[in-house]
Amino acid sequence: MALFGGKKAKPVVGLDIGSSAVKAVELRKTKEGFELVSVGLEPLAPETVVDGAIIDAPSVSAAIERIFAQQKIKNKNVATSVSGHSVIIKKVTMPNLPEDELYDQVHGEAGQYIPFDIADVNLDYQVLGLSPTGDQVELLLVAVKKEKISNYTSALSLAGRSVVMVDVDAFAIQNAYEMNYQPDPTQTAALLNIGASVMNINIVRGGAPLFTRDVSVGGNQYTDALQKELELTFEDAESLKRGQQVAGVSEEQKLSILRSVSEILALEIQKTFDFFRATASGEFINHIFVAGGSARIPGLLEMMRDEFQLPVDELDPFRRVTYNPAKFSDEYIHEVAPRLAVAVGLGLRSFDLV
């Protein structure tokens, strides 16, 4: 899915610009699979990126330049991704036409499915399959406001990078999942990417996306609750959220507040699952995979296992990626893995398999 840029595979650095940090991943294809070449994370100050919009472009550009300089990344071509309210993803049915005619039909009729002026969006689609009769095709239609894409490409240009492709966070996560887990085509999984301000939910069967939704909840809610309830500084609340200890705060106090926020997240996930089941008759979710900076909130995965009565695991974006232990320690890769799933998925855009 390329909402901006060409379809042809080109070596790129996967660059995920999130609300709390910029993450970069560079991969190389090997005989065995993929090798990690470069990885970098640069934290961003609060309010630099808000609800998926870059508010302070110079700060984001500076963070990108630091990553490329520190990691000695020479490739200036990047793939990045967006999410949130400016992104519309719809399943639609169209007549089964030759590719060029289908393109014209999609662009001619997309306006009825998109709640924005069609002139104000970048549009792309992916054919999911034929109807049982063969006279229609099911498409995944994706539209993103041009101003949203411009918001990202401007910040990247300021950092001296060339944007080869703009993707969607949920599909980047799916790329990382498919490559690392090679899912059974009959199995349905829910891929959750819980970032600082947005949770991407992508329900997939094998490699086919069935239902996608972005929810405006995430790690910031945990920080806000800890700050408010315990009268902490932002820094102390962040430390507590990441499992560190803060003077004067008991483990019981912390876990109680974290659980109350986890319940809000679980409710949003349940709503999404209910809506999915109502629109996709006969579909059952077999497994939940969780990525993002909030994947390791104490007690979150355990609570989700109880709540949904399903296997719930952290999504490992490096499960089938090798790396030089002299350059990257196992401890470091394990520590940063959940936060790099989108960047890995974007880094895979260099290769034909995605």
Side-chain angles (χ1 to χ4, degrees):
M1 193 68 67
L3 292 155
F4 174 94
K7 303 273 186 184
K8 193 176 178 185
K10 191 176 188 178
V12 294
V13 178
L15 197 64
D16 174 21
I17 302 171
S19 296
S20 63
V22 176
K23 289 84 75 177
V25 167
E26 187 179 19
L27 299 170
R28 175 168 54 219
K29 189 90 169 68
T30 66
K31 288 179 182 177
E32 292 74 34
F34 297 94
E35 182 183 2
L36 183 63
V37 178
S38 308
V39 61
L41 289 93
E42 274 290 320
L44 295 173
E47 311 302 315
T48 303
V49 177
V50 179
D51 293 331
I54 297 172
I55 306 300
D56 184 352
S59 289
V60 170
S61 297
I64 293 166
E65 287 175 357
R66 282 196 298 275
I67 289 176
F68 277 68
Q70 288 164 5
Q71 306 306 322
K72 299 181 173 61
I73 301 172
K74 293 183 174 65
N75 187 355
K76 290 183 180 294
N77 295 322
V78 301
T80 192
S81 57
V82 294
S83 64
H85 303 303
S86 298
V87 181
I88 302 296
I89 301 171
K90 289 261 172 83
K91 261 190 182 178
V92 300
T93 304
M94 296 267 177
N96 185 13
L97 299 168
E99 190 174 331
D100 56 341
E101 292 179 41
L102 182 62
Y103 177 91
D104 292 339
Q105 180 105 8
V106 169
H107 283 74
E109 295 188 15
Q112 63 185 293
Y113 304 108
I114 307 298
F116 310 131
D117 187 325
I118 203 72
D120 295 336
V121 301
N122 278 53
L123 193 68
D124 197 9
Y125 65 91
Q126 181 179 327
V127 176
L128 297 177
L130 287 171
S131 65
T133 55
D135 60 342
Q136 291 188 309
V137 289
E138 193 173 53
L139 304 176
L140 192 69
L141 187 65
V142 183
V144 179
K145 280 190 174 181
K146 287 178 179 175
E147 64 182 14
K148 173 88 167 185
I149 291 177
S150 176
N151 180 237
Y152 275 64
T153 55
S154 297
L156 286 157
S157 296
L158 194 60
R161 307 301 123 187
S162 176
V163 184
V164 172
M165 181 178 291
V166 177
D167 203 344
V168 173
D169 288 356
F171 299 144
I173 288 285
Q174 185 178 334
N175 287 345
Y177 164 69
E178 285 181 49
M179 187 275 288
N180 282 290
Y181 292 85
Q182 300 179 320
D184 182 317
T186 65
Q187 294 292 297
T188 300
L191 312 179
L192 312 182
N193 180 43
I194 310 174
S197 61
V198 176
M199 172 169 60
N200 316 118
I201 303 175
N202 188 9
I203 300 173
V204 299
R205 189 199 312 111
L210 301 176
F211 188 86
T212 308
R213 181 184 179 222
D214 288 343
V215 186
S216 295
V217 295
N220 289 344
Q221 267 83 350
Y222 290 99
T223 309
D224 292 346
L226 290 166
Q227 267 190 278
K228 186 179 173 186
E229 297 291 327
L230 300 172
E231 298 181 352
L232 298 172
T233 64
F234 173 83
E235 290 75 19
D236 279 350
E238 280 284 303
S239 298
L240 207 55
K241 181 178 77 174
R242 294 208 165 96
Q244 295 161 22
Q245 292 187 323
V246 171
V249 180
S250 71
E251 190 73 3
E252 192 178 332
Q253 281 177 302
K254 178 186 80 172
L255 291 176
S256 172
I257 294 166
L258 292 179
R259 184 173 179 85
S260 67
V261 180
S262 292
E263 284 168 356
I264 295 169
L265 261 72
L267 187 61
E268 288 296 338
I269 296 164
Q270 186 63 63
K271 279 187 204 169
T272 304
F273 288 0
D274 290 345
F275 190 78
F276 164 69
R277 290 188 186 105
T279 55
S281 56
E283 291 286 355
F284 295 97
I285 294 166
N286 307 109
H287 207 131
I288 299 172
F289 290 94
V290 185
S294 301
R296 289 189 184 150
I297 293 289
L300 176 61
L301 268 55
E302 293 84 348
M303 192 208 75
M304 287 172 62
R305 289 181 192 117
D306 291 343
E307 189 79 24
F308 301 114
Q309 293 296 297
L310 286 169
V312 179
D313 290 300
E314 186 181 293
L315 191 152
D316 179 5
F318 298 111
R319 190 168 186 249
R320 295 184 67 243
V321 176
T322 59
Y323 53 87
N324 181 349
K327 189 175 179 182
F328 310 105
S329 71
D330 291 345
E331 291 77 17
Y332 175 73
I333 294 298
H334 174 72
E335 179 196 332
V336 300
R339 304 176 71 190
L340 291 173
V342 169
V344 169
L346 292 169
L348 286 168
R349 286 301 195 185
S350 296
F351 312 103
D352 291 329
L353 81 164
V354 291

